[in-house]
Amino acid sequence: RGGAKRAAAPAPCQPEVVFILDFHGSLQKLLPSLLLRLLCHLKGQEGASLRIFEIFKDFAQFSINTNPTIVIIDMVPAQAPEMLRVAVQSAPRSGGFDVVKGLMEQISIALFAWMPRLSFSTKLPCPACCSLGEDPSGHLLDLNEVLSDEVLFCHRFNAHSRAEALLEAKLPRLIREWRSSA
């Protein structure tokens, strides 16, 4: 078969951190070109090292940085996408939270450049009561609050006993690093 060779995708791994970009119902209108536009923007950044493994209209797997940080972006829920899930697995010496912070900043810049009036919020699955982004309709924490609040609680952790869970120690390592740098 003639055609471009595709980079071998890395073995599936458990993401270190998952972000949910909630477009408040407007994602379906953006879907046809959203991932391509994001990847083109990321590729065009100075010093960017982007290697694409797979891309479809609702899914992309790629690596960024020279010590690859693997990123999977997909639309959730699959049947009627409302949110964009960004799952990140960082290499041991990849630059840690700086790479993740830069990725999320570049995604925001790309979205605002493309559609300045687009409203979306970046969230994290609650580490006390949710798995890593498997159910995007679960309890989500606003990233700005996670980065700025001194003490984080999950108010849904144990609704029957009215106990609240402290979240700091349960946050992904990259988010704890990001918090401590802010």
Side-chain angles (χ1 to χ4, degrees):
R1 290 173 142 166
K5 291 184 180 180
R6 197 167 70 189
C13 55
Q14 182 70 8
E16 241 180 295
V17 63
V18 172
F19 298 94
I20 304 291
L21 278 64
D22 185 352
F23 291 90
H24 313 291
S26 62
L27 182 60
Q28 287 184 359
K29 297 173 192 164
L30 304 173
L31 189 57
S33 61
L34 180 66
L35 287 180
L36 288 174
R37 284 181 180 256
L38 285 175
L39 291 174
C40 286
H41 177 83
L42 293 172
K43 182 81 172 167
Q45 295 308 302
E46 185 176 328
S49 174
L50 183 78
R51 186 171 179 196
I52 299 171
F53 300 112
E54 291 183 277
I55 185 165
F56 301 96
K57 73 174 186 171
D58 58 355
F59 175 89
Q61 181 180 22
F62 58 95
S63 67
I64 53 174
N65 210 351
T66 52
N67 292 323
T69 297
I70 306 300
V71 180
I72 295 175
I73 299 178
D74 63 338
M75 312 287 178
V76 289
Q79 302 79 9
E82 296 176 12
M83 295 178 250
L84 193 68
R85 178 174 39 203
V86 181
V88 180
Q89 177 61 44
S90 181
R93 290 169 274 136
S94 68
F97 83 92
D98 287 329
V99 173
V100 173
K101 179 182 177 185
L103 171 68
M104 297 311 296
E105 286 173 352
Q106 287 305 315
I107 288 174
S108 292
I109 288 168
L111 290 170
F112 284 126
W114 179 32
M115 298 193 69
R117 291 190 172 96
L118 179 66
S119 172
F120 72 94
S121 51
T122 304
K123 301 177 181 191
L124 298 167
C126 175
C129 63
C130 294
S131 62
L132 269 180
E134 294 303 317
D135 179 15
S137 63
H139 182 206
L140 299 173
L141 307 170
D142 186 271
L143 180 62
N144 289 329
E145 291 174 12
V146 169
L147 295 175
S148 63
D149 289 355
E150 288 185 31
V151 180
L152 294 171
F153 290 100
C154 173
H155 304 287
R156 297 184 187 183
F157 179 65
N158 194 349
H160 300 295
S161 71
R162 301 214 180 263
E164 294 180 343
L166 276 171
L167 298 180
E168 178 67 30
K170 295 179 181 184
L171 289 171
R173 174 188 60 87
L174 295 171
I175 299 301
R176 289 193 313 268
E177 290 174 8
W178 194 346
R179 278 175 54 93
S180 67
S181 76

